[in-house]
Amino acid sequence: MAKQKESLKEKITSYTYEQIYIKFNFTYICYEKDFSDEYISQFYKRIKELSSEPYMVVANWPKNRGFEREDKKRLGITKEVPQNFSERFPTKAYGDKLTIIRLFPNNNPIVARIIGVFIDKIFYILFIDIGGNLYSH
């Protein structure tokens, strides 16, 4: 009996919580007007920053540094989610909410957003909005 309790105790104490990190998917990008070479380095820096911290840490950052979620209808984005994305992921998988990440956390030098959908801690990038042209800010 003592041996059985000990093995259960070992199992419980050896269990460790595995941190979940954000992963990015580029497959469904359908809008990237004005996304020129001058922004690629900042894009890479933001992706690296967000994926180097656990999801729960990033989720608690202020929206200018982390991300925010908003209803697609409320944003007023007229671009449609790509059909191949919609076929793979029904709206109920993400609740018709888009996630917005600021490319430049303080909108300096310009307003620029990475817009997509979180499903199972994977961020599917749909739109890269350079200059704030995709919706009203």
Side-chain angles (χ1 to χ4, degrees), residues 26-66:
F26 300 84
T27 306
Y28 303 101
I29 297 173
C30 66
Y31 179 88
E32 54 184 337
K33 185 178 178 190
D34 300 325
F35 185 54
S36 59
D37 290 346
E38 65 185 296
Y39 303 113
I40 290 175
S41 139
Q42 180 63 21
F43 180 78
Y44 171 75
K45 286 177 188 175
R46 288 291 288 144
I47 297 291
K48 186 176 177 186
E49 175 187 21
L50 293 166
S51 61
S52 66
E53 294 288 342
Y55 174 86
M56 291 307 295
V57 171
V58 175
N60 286 298
W61 287 350
K63 68 181 184 180
N64 68 318
R65 186 168 171 224

Side-chain angles (χ1 to χ4, degrees), residues 71-85:
D71 288 326
K72 184 177 184 284
K73 290 178 184 174
R74 183 167 176 199
L75 287 174
I77 294 177
T78 57
K79 291 278 184 200
E80 290 298 319
V81 170
Q83 184 177 350
N84 57 346
F85 182 83

